[in-house]
Amino acid sequence: ENYSTQKLSSLINVFNSIVLGLGLSATFWLPAFFEKQFVQTEKAILPLDNFVNQFVRIEEFFKLTWNGFVISHEIGIIHLVLTVLAIISCLVLFKKQRKLSLFIFFGLLLLFISLWMQTIQSLNLWLLFSPLQFIQFPWRFAGISIFLIALLGGSSVQLIKSRKSKL
């Protein structure tokens, strides 16, 4: 196969993945979209003072204790190790494995954006872009963060394995 055929095949796979994701989540977003006039959305948004109190303090990401009664916002030791591994592998192996390193770099960028969206420093964006307020709790971005860390950890291991196999 030539390069353009591989590129087209990759684009088709991405498109199919998006369609599959939208299809699997359609039970949520189709009714939300088509029946919006029947839903009292103003009651779904917390008042501003409650909304602002839901942001995560940066130090809470790294607090390694949990008392069992309060929601923990910590990232976790293994997730921190995987993030550091992703950063190191991206920097060290960038010239040898450029494509995978760029994927890891883009994933790290998305990770830091999702972490930032959980902190009070992103408040202006939450106020400027009002549809974000339907999420209600900024710490719901933690699901995205944890998924990205797992993806980056696996990609980093793959990057290191491919590098070792070439030695």
Side-chain angles (χ1 to χ4, degrees):
E1 286 182 31
N2 60 17
Y3 179 72
S4 61
T5 306
Q6 287 177 340
K7 196 171 184 180
L8 180 62
S9 176
S10 295
L11 286 174
I12 290 171
N13 286 340
V14 168
F15 177 76
N16 288 339
S17 298
I18 291 170
V19 169
L20 179 64
L22 289 172
L24 289 172
S25 62
T27 58
F28 172 78
W29 66 264
L30 275 175
F33 181 76
F34 289 112
E35 298 176 1
K36 189 174 181 178
Q37 70 267 15
F38 304 117
V39 179
Q40 299 176 358
T41 54
E42 66 278 352
K43 291 184 179 179
I45 299 176
L46 292 173
L48 182 61
D49 60 337
N50 289 338
F51 175 79
V52 173
N53 291 334
Q54 298 297 321
F55 283 103
V56 179
R57 292 187 315 274
I58 292 174
E59 61 268 13
E60 287 182 82
F61 289 136
F62 306 104
K63 185 170 63 171
L64 300 177
T65 59
W66 184 58
N67 71 15
F69 298 107
V70 180
I71 293 175
S72 173
H73 301 293
E74 71 176 281
I75 294 174
I77 294 172
I78 293 175
H79 292 94
L80 287 172
V81 169
L82 289 174
T83 303
V84 170
L85 177 68
I87 293 169
I88 291 170
S89 64
C90 184
L91 293 174
V92 171
L93 302 172
F94 180 73
K95 290 186 179 184
K96 305 276 185 193
Q97 292 282 333
R98 193 175 198 95
K99 196 174 189 180
L100 190 53
S101 292
L102 285 173
F103 175 79
I104 292 172
F105 175 78
F106 183 68
L108 285 167
L109 180 66
L110 290 176
L111 171 64
F112 291 122
I113 289 171
S114 68
L115 290 171
W116 178 75
M117 288 297 292
Q118 298 175 58
T119 65
I120 193 73
Q121 286 75 18
S122 65
L123 177 62
N124 287 335
L125 183 63
W126 284 83
L127 294 175
L128 180 69
F129 192 62
S130 59
L132 281 174
Q133 295 174 17
F134 283 102
I135 295 173
Q136 293 180 327
F137 306 111
W139 45 261
R140 286 188 174 165
F141 274 91
I144 296 170
S145 301
I146 298 303
F147 172 76
L148 285 169
I149 291 170
L151 186 67
L152 290 169
S155 299
S156 299
V157 168
Q158 179 64 33
L159 186 62
I160 292 167
K161 280 175 67 176
S162 68
R163 177 66 181 136
K164 282 186 176 181
S165 68
K166 290 182 180 181
L167 291 176

